[in-house]
Coordinates of all heavy atoms in Angstrom, one line a residue:
M231 N -26.5 -160.5 -55.2 CA -25.4 -160.2 -54.3 C -25.8 -159.4 -53.1 O -25.0 -159.1 -52.3 CB -24.4 -159.3 -55.0 CG -23.2 -159.9 -55.5 SD -22.2 -161.0 -55.4 CE -22.0 -161.2 -57.1
A232 N -27.1 -159.1 -53.0 CA -27.5 -158.4 -51.8 C -27.3 -159.2 -50.5 O -27.6 -160.4 -50.5 CB -29.0 -158.0 -52.0
G233 N -26.8 -158.6 -49.5 CA -26.6 -159.2 -48.2 C -25.3 -159.9 -48.1 O -25.0 -160.4 -47.0
T234 N -24.5 -160.0 -49.2 CA -23.2 -160.7 -49.0 C -22.1 -159.6 -49.2 O -22.1 -158.8 -50.0 CB -23.0 -161.8 -50.0 OG1 -23.0 -161.3 -51.3 CG2 -23.9 -162.9 -49.8
E235 N -21.1 -159.7 -48.3 CA -20.0 -158.8 -48.4 C -18.9 -159.2 -49.4 O -18.5 -158.4 -50.2 CB -19.3 -158.7 -47.0 CG -18.4 -157.5 -46.8 CD -19.1 -156.2 -46.9 OE1 -20.2 -156.0 -46.6 OE2 -18.4 -155.3 -47.4
Q236 N -18.6 -160.5 -49.4 CA -17.6 -161.0 -50.4 C -18.1 -162.2 -51.1 O -18.7 -163.1 -50.5 CB -16.3 -161.4 -49.6 CG -15.3 -162.0 -50.4 CD -14.0 -161.4 -50.4 OE1 -13.8 -160.4 -49.7 NE2 -13.1 -161.9 -51.2
E237 N -17.9 -162.2 -52.4 CA -18.3 -163.4 -53.2 C -17.2 -164.4 -53.2 O -16.0 -164.1 -53.1 CB -18.5 -162.8 -54.6 CG -19.1 -163.8 -55.6 CD -19.4 -163.1 -56.9 OE1 -18.6 -162.3 -57.4 OE2 -20.4 -163.4 -57.5
S238 N -17.6 -165.7 -53.2 CA -16.6 -166.7 -53.3 C -16.7 -167.5 -54.6 O -17.6 -167.2 -55.4 CB -16.8 -167.7 -52.1 OG -18.0 -168.5 -52.4
L239 N -15.8 -168.4 -54.8 CA -15.8 -169.1 -56.1 C -17.1 -170.0 -56.2 O -17.5 -170.1 -57.4 CB -14.5 -170.1 -56.1 CG -14.2 -170.7 -57.4 CD1 -13.9 -169.7 -58.5 CD2 -13.0 -171.6 -57.2
D240 N -17.6 -170.4 -55.2 CA -18.9 -171.2 -55.2 C -20.0 -170.4 -55.7 O -21.0 -170.9 -56.2 CB -19.2 -171.8 -53.9 CG -18.2 -172.8 -53.4 OD1 -17.6 -173.5 -54.3 OD2 -18.1 -173.0 -52.2
D241 N -20.0 -169.1 -55.6 CA -21.1 -168.2 -55.9 C -21.0 -167.8 -57.4 O -22.0 -167.2 -57.9 CB -21.1 -166.9 -55.1 CG -21.2 -167.2 -53.6 OD1 -21.9 -168.2 -53.3 OD2 -20.7 -166.5 -52.8
L242 N -19.9 -168.1 -58.1 CA -19.7 -167.7 -59.5 C -20.5 -168.5 -60.4 O -20.8 -169.7 -60.1 CB -18.3 -167.7 -59.8 CG -17.4 -166.7 -59.1 CD1 -16.0 -166.8 -59.5 CD2 -17.9 -165.3 -59.3
P243 N -20.8 -168.0 -61.6 CA -21.5 -168.8 -62.7 C -20.6 -170.0 -63.2 O -19.3 -169.9 -63.0 CB -21.8 -167.8 -63.8 CG -20.9 -166.7 -63.5 CD -20.6 -166.7 -62.1
P244 N -21.2 -171.0 -63.8 CA -20.4 -172.1 -64.2 C -19.3 -171.8 -65.2 O -18.2 -172.4 -65.2 CB -21.4 -173.0 -64.9 CG -22.7 -172.6 -64.3 CD -22.6 -171.2 -63.9
S245 N -19.5 -170.7 -66.0 CA -18.4 -170.3 -67.0 C -17.2 -169.9 -66.2 O -16.0 -170.1 -66.6 CB -18.9 -169.3 -67.9 OG -19.4 -168.1 -67.2
A246 N -17.3 -169.1 -65.1 CA -16.2 -168.6 -64.3 C -15.5 -169.8 -63.7 O -14.2 -169.8 -63.6 CB -16.7 -167.6 -63.3
K247 N -16.2 -170.8 -63.2 CA -15.6 -172.0 -62.6 C -14.8 -172.7 -63.6 O -13.8 -173.2 -63.3 CB -16.7 -172.8 -62.0 CG -17.4 -172.2 -60.8 CD -18.5 -173.1 -60.3 CE -19.3 -172.4 -59.2 NZ -20.5 -173.2 -58.8
L248 N -15.3 -172.8 -64.8 CA -14.6 -173.5 -65.9 C -13.3 -172.8 -66.3 O -12.3 -173.4 -66.4 CB -15.5 -173.6 -67.2 CG -14.8 -174.3 -68.4 CD1 -14.4 -175.7 -68.1 CD2 -15.8 -174.2 -69.6
V249 N -13.4 -171.5 -66.3 CA -12.1 -170.7 -66.6 C -11.1 -170.9 -65.5 O -9.9 -171.1 -65.7 CB -12.5 -169.2 -66.8 CG1 -11.2 -168.4 -66.8 CG2 -13.3 -169.0 -68.1
F250 N -11.6 -170.9 -64.2 CA -10.7 -171.2 -63.1 C -10.1 -172.6 -63.3 O -8.8 -172.7 -63.1 CB -11.5 -171.2 -61.8 CG -10.7 -171.5 -60.6 CD1 -10.0 -170.4 -59.9 CD2 -10.7 -172.7 -60.1 CE1 -9.3 -170.8 -58.8 CE2 -10.0 -173.0 -58.9 CZ -9.2 -172.0 -58.3
K251 N -10.8 -173.6 -63.6 CA -10.2 -174.9 -63.8 C -9.3 -175.0 -64.9 O -8.2 -175.7 -64.9 CB -11.4 -176.0 -63.9 CG -12.1 -176.3 -62.7 CD -11.1 -176.9 -61.7 CE -11.8 -177.4 -60.4 NZ -10.8 -177.9 -59.4
V252 N -9.6 -174.3 -66.0 CA -8.7 -174.3 -67.2 C -7.3 -173.7 -66.8 O -6.2 -174.2 -67.1 CB -9.3 -173.5 -68.4 CG1 -8.3 -173.1 -69.4 CG2 -10.4 -174.3 -69.0
L253 N -7.4 -172.6 -66.0 CA -6.1 -171.9 -65.5 C -5.4 -172.8 -64.5 O -4.2 -172.9 -64.5 CB -6.4 -170.6 -64.9 CG -6.8 -169.5 -65.9 CD1 -7.3 -168.2 -65.2 CD2 -5.7 -169.2 -66.9
E254 N -6.2 -173.5 -63.7 CA -5.6 -174.4 -62.7 C -4.9 -175.6 -63.4 O -3.8 -176.0 -63.0 CB -6.7 -175.0 -61.8 CG -6.2 -175.8 -60.6 CD -7.4 -176.3 -59.7 OE1 -8.4 -176.8 -60.3 OE2 -7.2 -176.1 -58.5
Y255 N -5.4 -176.2 -64.4 CA -4.8 -177.3 -65.1 C -3.7 -176.9 -66.1 O -2.7 -177.6 -66.2 CB -5.9 -178.1 -65.8 CG -6.8 -178.8 -64.9 CD1 -8.2 -178.9 -65.2 CD2 -6.4 -179.5 -63.8 CE1 -9.1 -179.5 -64.4 CE2 -7.3 -180.1 -63.0 CZ -8.6 -180.1 -63.3 OH -9.5 -180.8 -62.4
N256 N -3.9 -175.8 -66.8 CA -3.0 -175.4 -67.8 C -1.9 -174.4 -67.4 O -1.0 -174.1 -68.2 CB -3.7 -174.9 -69.1 CG -4.6 -176.0 -69.6 OD1 -4.1 -177.1 -69.9 ND2 -5.9 -175.7 -69.8
G257 N -2.1 -173.7 -66.3 CA -1.2 -172.6 -65.9 C -1.6 -171.3 -66.6 O -2.7 -171.2 -67.2
P258 N -0.6 -170.4 -66.6 CA -0.9 -169.1 -67.2 C -1.3 -169.2 -68.7 O -0.6 -169.9 -69.4 CB 0.4 -168.3 -67.0 CG 1.1 -169.0 -66.0 CD 0.7 -170.5 -66.1
L259 N -2.3 -168.5 -69.1 CA -2.8 -168.4 -70.5 C -3.2 -167.0 -70.9 O -3.7 -166.3 -70.0 CB -4.0 -169.4 -70.7 CG -3.7 -170.9 -70.6 CD1 -5.1 -171.6 -70.6 CD2 -2.9 -171.3 -71.8
T260 N -3.2 -166.8 -72.1 CA -3.8 -165.5 -72.6 C -5.4 -165.7 -72.7 O -5.8 -166.9 -72.7 CB -3.3 -165.1 -74.0 OG1 -3.7 -166.2 -74.9 CG2 -1.8 -164.9 -74.0
Q261 N -6.1 -164.7 -73.0 CA -7.6 -164.8 -73.1 C -7.8 -165.7 -74.3 O -8.7 -166.6 -74.3 CB -8.2 -163.5 -73.3 CG -9.7 -163.5 -73.4 CD -10.3 -162.2 -73.6 OE1 -9.8 -161.2 -73.1 NE2 -11.4 -162.1 -74.3
K262 N -7.1 -165.6 -75.4 CA -7.2 -166.4 -76.6 C -7.0 -167.9 -76.2 O -7.7 -168.7 -76.7 CB -6.3 -165.9 -77.6 CG -6.5 -166.5 -79.0 CD -5.4 -166.0 -79.9 CE -6.0 -165.7 -81.3 NZ -5.0 -165.1 -82.2
G263 N -6.0 -168.2 -75.4 CA -5.7 -169.5 -75.0 C -6.8 -170.1 -74.2 O -7.2 -171.3 -74.3
I264 N -7.4 -169.3 -73.3 CA -8.5 -169.7 -72.5 C -9.8 -170.0 -73.3 O -10.4 -171.0 -73.1 CB -8.9 -168.7 -71.4 CG1 -7.7 -168.5 -70.4 CG2 -10.1 -169.1 -70.6 CD1 -7.8 -167.3 -69.5
V265 N -10.0 -169.2 -74.3 CA -11.1 -169.4 -75.3 C -10.9 -170.7 -76.0 O -11.9 -171.6 -76.1 CB -11.2 -168.2 -76.3 CG1 -12.2 -168.6 -77.4 CG2 -11.7 -167.0 -75.6
Q266 N -9.7 -171.1 -76.4 CA -9.5 -172.3 -77.1 C -9.6 -173.5 -76.2 O -10.2 -174.5 -76.6 CB -8.1 -172.3 -77.8 CG -7.9 -171.3 -78.9 CD -6.5 -171.1 -79.4 OE1 -5.6 -171.5 -78.7 NE2 -6.4 -170.6 -80.6
E267 N -9.1 -173.4 -75.0 CA -9.1 -174.6 -74.1 C -10.5 -174.8 -73.5 O -10.9 -176.0 -73.4 CB -8.2 -174.3 -72.9 CG -6.7 -174.4 -73.3 CD -6.3 -175.8 -73.7 OE1 -6.8 -176.8 -73.1 OE2 -5.5 -176.0 -74.7
S268 N -11.3 -173.7 -73.2 CA -12.6 -173.9 -72.6 C -13.7 -174.0 -73.6 O -14.8 -174.5 -73.3 CB -12.9 -172.7 -71.7 OG -13.0 -171.5 -72.5
M269 N -13.5 -173.6 -74.9 CA -14.5 -173.6 -75.9 C -15.7 -172.7 -75.6 O -16.8 -172.9 -76.0 CB -15.0 -175.0 -76.3 CG -13.8 -175.9 -76.8 SD -14.2 -177.4 -77.6 CE -15.4 -178.2 -76.5
L270 N -15.4 -171.7 -74.8 CA -16.4 -170.6 -74.5 C -16.2 -169.5 -75.4 O -15.1 -169.3 -76.0 CB -16.2 -170.1 -73.0 CG -16.5 -171.1 -71.9 CD1 -16.1 -170.5 -70.5 CD2 -18.0 -171.5 -71.9
S271 N -17.2 -168.6 -75.5 CA -17.0 -167.4 -76.4 C -16.0 -166.4 -75.7 O -15.8 -166.5 -74.5 CB -18.3 -166.8 -76.7 OG -18.8 -166.1 -75.5
A272 N -15.4 -165.6 -76.5 CA -14.5 -164.6 -76.0 C -15.2 -163.7 -75.0 O -14.6 -163.3 -74.0 CB -13.9 -163.8 -77.2
R273 N -16.4 -163.3 -75.3 CA -17.2 -162.4 -74.4 C -17.4 -163.1 -73.0 O -17.3 -162.5 -72.0 CB -18.5 -162.0 -75.0 CG -19.3 -161.1 -74.2 CD -20.5 -160.7 -74.9 NE -21.4 -159.8 -74.1 CZ -22.4 -159.2 -74.5 NH1 -22.8 -159.3 -75.8 NH2 -23.1 -158.4 -73.7
T274 N -17.7 -164.4 -73.1 CA -18.0 -165.1 -71.8 C -16.7 -165.3 -71.0 O -16.7 -165.1 -69.8 CB -18.6 -166.5 -72.2 OG1 -19.8 -166.4 -72.9 CG2 -18.8 -167.3 -70.9
V275 N -15.6 -165.5 -71.7 CA -14.3 -165.6 -71.0 C -13.9 -164.2 -70.4 O -13.5 -164.2 -69.2 CB -13.2 -166.1 -72.0 CG1 -11.8 -165.9 -71.4 CG2 -13.5 -167.6 -72.3
R276 N -14.2 -163.2 -71.1 CA -13.9 -161.8 -70.5 C -14.7 -161.6 -69.3 O -14.1 -161.1 -68.3 CB -14.2 -160.7 -71.6 CG -13.1 -160.4 -72.5 CD -13.4 -159.1 -73.2 NE -14.7 -158.9 -73.8 CZ -15.0 -159.4 -75.1 NH1 -14.1 -160.0 -75.8 NH2 -16.2 -159.2 -75.5
Y277 N -16.0 -161.9 -69.3 CA -16.8 -161.7 -68.1 C -16.4 -162.6 -67.0 O -16.3 -162.2 -65.8 CB -18.3 -162.1 -68.5 CG -19.2 -162.0 -67.4 CD1 -19.6 -160.8 -66.8 CD2 -19.8 -163.1 -66.8 CE1 -20.4 -160.7 -65.7 CE2 -20.7 -163.1 -65.8 CZ -21.0 -161.8 -65.2 OH -21.8 -161.7 -64.2
A278 N -16.0 -163.9 -67.3 CA -15.6 -164.8 -66.2 C -14.3 -164.3 -65.6 O -14.1 -164.3 -64.4 CB -15.4 -166.2 -66.8
L279 N -13.3 -163.8 -66.4 CA -12.1 -163.3 -65.9 C -12.3 -162.0 -65.0 O -11.7 -161.9 -64.0 CB -11.1 -162.9 -67.0 CG -10.5 -164.1 -67.7 CD1 -9.8 -163.7 -69.0 CD2 -9.6 -164.9 -66.8
E280 N -13.3 -161.2 -65.4 CA -13.6 -160.0 -64.6 C -14.1 -160.5 -63.2 O -13.7 -159.9 -62.2 CB -14.8 -159.2 -65.2 CG -14.3 -158.2 -66.2 CD -15.5 -157.5 -66.8 OE1 -16.5 -157.3 -66.1 OE2 -15.4 -157.1 -68.0
R281 N -15.0 -161.5 -63.2 CA -15.5 -162.0 -61.9 C -14.4 -162.6 -61.1 O -14.4 -162.4 -59.9 CB -16.6 -163.0 -62.2 CG -17.8 -162.5 -62.9 CD -18.7 -161.6 -62.1 NE -19.3 -162.2 -61.0 CZ -20.6 -162.8 -60.9 NH1 -21.3 -162.7 -62.0 NH2 -21.0 -163.3 -59.9
L282 N -13.5 -163.4 -61.7 CA -12.5 -164.1 -61.0 C -11.5 -163.0 -60.4 O -11.0 -163.2 -59.3 CB -11.7 -165.1 -61.9 CG -12.6 -166.3 -62.2 CD1 -11.9 -167.1 -63.4 CD2 -12.8 -167.2 -61.0
E283 N -11.2 -162.0 -61.2 CA -10.3 -160.9 -60.7 C -11.0 -160.2 -59.6 O -10.3 -159.8 -58.6 CB -9.9 -159.9 -61.8 CG -8.9 -160.5 -62.8 CD -8.6 -159.5 -63.9 OE1 -9.4 -159.4 -64.9 OE2 -7.6 -158.8 -63.7
G284 N -12.3 -160.0 -59.6 CA -13.0 -159.3 -58.6 C -12.9 -160.0 -57.3 O -13.0 -159.3 -56.2
I285 N -12.8 -161.3 -57.2 CA -12.8 -162.0 -55.9 C -11.3 -162.4 -55.6 O -11.0 -163.0 -54.6 CB -13.6 -163.3 -55.9 CG1 -13.2 -164.3 -56.9 CG2 -15.1 -163.0 -56.0 CD1 -13.8 -165.7 -56.7
G286 N -10.4 -161.9 -56.5 CA -8.9 -162.1 -56.1 C -8.3 -163.4 -56.4 O -7.3 -163.7 -55.7
V287 N -8.8 -164.2 -57.2 CA -8.2 -165.5 -57.5 C -7.4 -165.6 -58.8 O -6.8 -166.6 -59.1 CB -9.3 -166.7 -57.5 CG1 -9.9 -166.8 -56.1 CG2 -10.3 -166.5 -58.5
V288 N -7.5 -164.5 -59.6 CA -6.8 -164.4 -60.9 C -6.0 -163.1 -60.9 O -6.6 -162.1 -60.6 CB -7.8 -164.5 -62.1 CG1 -7.1 -164.3 -63.4 CG2 -8.4 -165.9 -62.1
D289 N -4.8 -163.2 -61.4 CA -4.0 -162.1 -61.6 C -3.8 -161.9 -63.2 O -3.7 -162.8 -63.9 CB -2.6 -162.2 -61.0 CG -2.6 -162.1 -59.6 OD1 -3.4 -161.3 -59.0 OD2 -1.7 -162.7 -58.9
E290 N -3.7 -160.6 -63.6 CA -3.4 -160.3 -65.0 C -2.1 -159.6 -65.1 O -1.7 -158.8 -64.4 CB -4.5 -159.2 -65.3 CG -4.4 -158.7 -66.7 CD -5.5 -157.7 -67.0 OE1 -6.5 -157.6 -66.3 OE2 -5.4 -157.0 -68.0
D291 N -1.3 -160.2 -66.0 CA 0.1 -159.7 -66.3 C 0.2 -159.4 -67.8 O -0.6 -159.8 -68.6 CB 1.2 -160.7 -65.9 CG 1.6 -160.6 -64.5 OD1 1.6 -159.5 -63.9 OD2 2.0 -161.7 -63.9
V292 N 1.3 -158.7 -68.1 CA 1.6 -158.4 -69.5 C 2.2 -159.7 -70.2 O 3.0 -160.4 -69.5 CB 2.7 -157.3 -69.6 CG1 3.1 -157.1 -71.1 CG2 2.1 -156.0 -69.0
Y293 N 1.7 -160.0 -71.3 CA 2.2 -161.1 -72.1 C 3.4 -160.6 -73.0 O 3.1 -159.9 -73.9 CB 1.1 -161.8 -72.9 CG 1.5 -162.9 -73.7 CD1 2.1 -164.0 -73.1 CD2 1.2 -163.0 -75.0 CE1 2.4 -165.1 -73.9 CE2 1.4 -164.2 -75.8 CZ 2.1 -165.2 -75.2 OH 2.4 -166.3 -76.0
F294 N 4.6 -160.9 -72.6 CA 5.7 -160.3 -73.3 C 5.9 -160.7 -74.7 O 6.5 -160.0 -75.5 CB 7.0 -160.6 -72.5 CG 7.0 -159.9 -71.2 CD1 6.9 -160.5 -70.0 CD2 7.2 -158.5 -71.1 CE1 6.9 -159.9 -68.8 CE2 7.1 -157.8 -69.9 CZ 7.0 -158.5 -68.7
A295 N 5.4 -161.9 -75.1 CA 5.5 -162.3 -76.5 C 4.6 -161.5 -77.4 O 5.0 -161.3 -78.6 CB 5.1 -163.8 -76.6
D296 N 3.6 -160.9 -76.9 CA 2.7 -160.0 -77.6 C 2.0 -159.1 -76.6 O 1.1 -159.4 -76.0 CB 1.6 -160.8 -78.4 CG 0.7 -160.0 -79.2 OD1 0.8 -158.7 -79.2 OD2 -0.2 -160.6 -79.9
A297 N 2.6 -157.9 -76.6 CA 2.2 -156.9 -75.5 C 0.7 -156.4 -75.7 O 0.2 -155.8 -74.8 CB 3.1 -155.7 -75.6
R298 N 0.1 -156.8 -76.8 CA -1.3 -156.4 -77.0 C -2.3 -157.3 -76.2 O -3.4 -157.0 -76.0 CB -1.7 -156.5 -78.5 CG -1.0 -155.6 -79.3 CD -1.3 -155.8 -80.8 NE -0.7 -157.1 -81.1 CZ -0.8 -157.7 -82.3 NH1 -1.5 -157.2 -83.3 NH2 -0.3 -158.9 -82.5
Q299 N -1.7 -158.4 -75.7 CA -2.5 -159.4 -74.9 C -2.0 -159.4 -73.5 O -1.0 -159.0 -73.1 CB -2.3 -160.8 -75.5 CG -2.8 -161.0 -76.9 CD -2.6 -162.4 -77.4 OE1 -3.0 -163.3 -76.7 NE2 -2.1 -162.6 -78.6
N300 N -2.9 -160.0 -72.6 CA -2.6 -160.1 -71.2 C -2.4 -161.6 -70.9 O -3.1 -162.4 -71.6 CB -3.6 -159.5 -70.3 CG -3.7 -158.0 -70.4 OD1 -2.6 -157.4 -70.5 ND2 -4.8 -157.4 -70.5
L301 N -1.7 -161.9 -69.9 CA -1.5 -163.3 -69.4 C -2.3 -163.4 -68.1 O -2.1 -162.6 -67.2 CB 0.0 -163.6 -69.2 CG 0.4 -165.0 -69.1 CD1 0.0 -165.8 -70.3 CD2 1.9 -165.1 -68.8
Y302 N -3.1 -164.4 -68.0 CA -3.9 -164.6 -66.8 C -3.4 -165.9 -66.1 O -3.1 -166.9 -66.7 CB -5.4 -164.8 -67.2 CG -5.9 -163.5 -67.8 CD1 -6.0 -163.4 -69.2 CD2 -6.4 -162.5 -67.0 CE1 -6.5 -162.2 -69.8 CE2 -6.9 -161.3 -67.6 CZ -6.9 -161.2 -68.9 OH -7.4 -160.0 -69.5
Q303 N -3.3 -165.7 -64.8 CA -2.9 -166.9 -64.0 C -3.6 -166.8 -62.6 O -4.0 -165.7 -62.2 CB -1.4 -166.9 -63.8 CG -0.8 -165.7 -63.1 CD 0.7 -165.7 -63.1 OE1 1.3 -166.6 -63.6 NE2 1.3 -164.7 -62.5
L304 N -3.6 -168.0 -62.0 CA -4.2 -168.0 -60.6 C -3.2 -167.3 -59.6 O -2.0 -167.4 -59.8 CB -4.4 -169.4 -60.2 CG -5.5 -170.2 -61.0 CD1 -5.6 -171.6 -60.5 CD2 -6.8 -169.5 -61.1
T305 N -3.8 -166.7 -58.6 CA -2.9 -166.1 -57.6 C -2.3 -167.2 -56.8 O -2.6 -168.4 -56.9 CB -3.8 -165.2 -56.6 OG1 -4.8 -166.1 -56.0 CG2 -4.4 -164.0 -57.3
E306 N -1.3 -166.9 -56.1 CA -0.5 -167.8 -55.3 C -1.4 -168.7 -54.5 O -1.3 -169.9 -54.5 CB 0.6 -167.1 -54.4 CG 1.6 -166.5 -55.2 CD 2.4 -167.4 -56.1 OE1 2.8 -168.5 -55.6 OE2 2.7 -167.1 -57.3
K307 N -2.2 -168.1 -53.7 CA -3.1 -168.9 -52.8 C -4.5 -168.3 -53.0 O -4.9 -167.3 -52.4 CB -2.8 -168.7 -51.3 CG -1.9 -169.9 -50.8 CD -1.9 -169.8 -49.3 CE -1.2 -171.0 -48.8 NZ -1.2 -170.9 -47.3
P308 N -5.3 -168.9 -53.9 CA -6.6 -168.3 -54.2 C -7.5 -168.4 -52.8 O -7.7 -169.4 -52.4 CB -7.3 -169.2 -55.2 CG -6.1 -170.0 -55.8 CD -5.0 -170.0 -54.7
K309 N -7.7 -167.2 -52.3 CA -8.4 -167.2 -51.0 C -9.9 -167.7 -51.0 O -10.3 -168.2 -50.1 CB -8.4 -165.8 -50.4 CG -8.9 -164.7 -51.3 CD -8.6 -163.3 -50.8 CE -8.8 -162.3 -51.8 NZ -8.5 -161.0 -51.5
A310 N -10.5 -167.6 -52.2 CA -11.9 -168.1 -52.3 C -11.9 -169.6 -52.5 O -12.9 -170.2 -52.2 CB -12.6 -167.4 -53.4
A311 N -10.8 -170.2 -53.0 CA -10.8 -171.6 -53.3 C -10.3 -172.4 -52.1 O -10.5 -173.6 -52.1 CB -9.9 -171.9 -54.5
V312 N -9.7 -171.8 -51.1 CA -9.2 -172.5 -49.9 C -10.3 -172.8 -49.0 O -11.0 -171.9 -48.5 CB -8.1 -171.7 -49.3 CG1 -7.6 -172.3 -48.0 CG2 -6.9 -171.5 -50.3
D313 N -10.4 -174.0 -48.6 CA -11.4 -174.5 -47.6 C -10.7 -175.2 -46.5 O -10.3 -176.4 -46.7 CB -12.5 -175.3 -48.3 CG -13.6 -175.7 -47.2 OD1 -13.7 -175.1 -46.2 OD2 -14.2 -176.8 -47.5
C314 N -10.5 -174.6 -45.4 CA -9.8 -175.3 -44.3 C -10.7 -175.8 -43.2 O -10.4 -175.8 -42.0 CB -8.7 -174.4 -43.7 SG -7.3 -174.3 -44.7
G315 N -11.9 -176.2 -43.6 CA -12.8 -176.8 -42.6 C -12.6 -178.2 -42.3 O -13.2 -178.8 -41.4
S316 N -11.8 -178.9 -43.1 CA -11.6 -180.3 -42.9 C -10.4 -180.6 -42.0 O -9.5 -179.8 -41.8 CB -11.4 -181.0 -44.3 OG -10.1 -180.6 -44.8
E317 N -10.4 -181.9 -41.5 CA -9.3 -182.3 -40.6 C -8.0 -182.4 -41.4 O -6.9 -182.1 -40.8 CB -9.6 -183.6 -39.9 CG -10.8 -183.5 -38.9 CD -11.1 -184.9 -38.4 OE1 -10.3 -185.8 -38.5 OE2 -12.2 -185.0 -37.9
A318 N -8.0 -182.8 -42.7 CA -6.9 -182.9 -43.5 C -6.1 -181.6 -43.6 O -4.9 -181.5 -43.6 CB -7.2 -183.5 -44.8
C319 N -6.9 -180.5 -43.8 CA -6.3 -179.2 -43.9 C -5.6 -178.8 -42.6 O -4.6 -178.2 -42.6 CB -7.4 -178.2 -44.4 SG -6.7 -176.6 -44.7
A320 N -6.3 -179.1 -41.5 CA -5.7 -178.7 -40.2 C -4.5 -179.5 -40.0 O -3.5 -178.9 -39.3 CB -6.7 -179.0 -39.1
A321 N -4.3 -180.7 -40.4 CA -3.1 -181.5 -40.2 C -2.0 -181.0 -41.1 O -0.8 -181.1 -40.7 CB -3.4 -183.0 -40.6
E322 N -2.3 -180.4 -42.3 CA -1.2 -179.7 -43.1 C -0.6 -178.6 -42.4 O 0.6 -178.2 -42.7 CB -1.8 -179.4 -44.4 CG -2.1 -180.6 -45.3 CD -2.8 -180.1 -46.6 OE1 -2.7 -179.0 -46.9 OE2 -3.3 -181.0 -47.3
Q323 N -1.4 -177.8 -41.6 CA -0.8 -176.6 -41.0 C 0.0 -176.9 -39.9 O 0.8 -176.8 -39.3 CB -2.0 -175.7 -40.6 CG -2.8 -175.2 -41.8 CD -4.0 -174.4 -41.3 OE1 -4.3 -174.3 -40.1 NE2 -4.7 -173.9 -42.3

């Protein structure tokens, strides 16, 4: 990480990218749900969630069905995942 001010989604390990995609396709999930969907170990999912929270693309909320767990979801507009370098993106704005 030396020399970079902010990390982006492209700079993350494959496990973090997989967790991002699982949340993108399935919506909000608990850590246990992410482990089941991604088939990664609980420790790997925890690390991936830390990295994703660190760059601001994942939010952590209380899971009201079981307050011992947290609910993870993508932020409204993941700033690291948005790439407006294309003409199609400029046309949408």
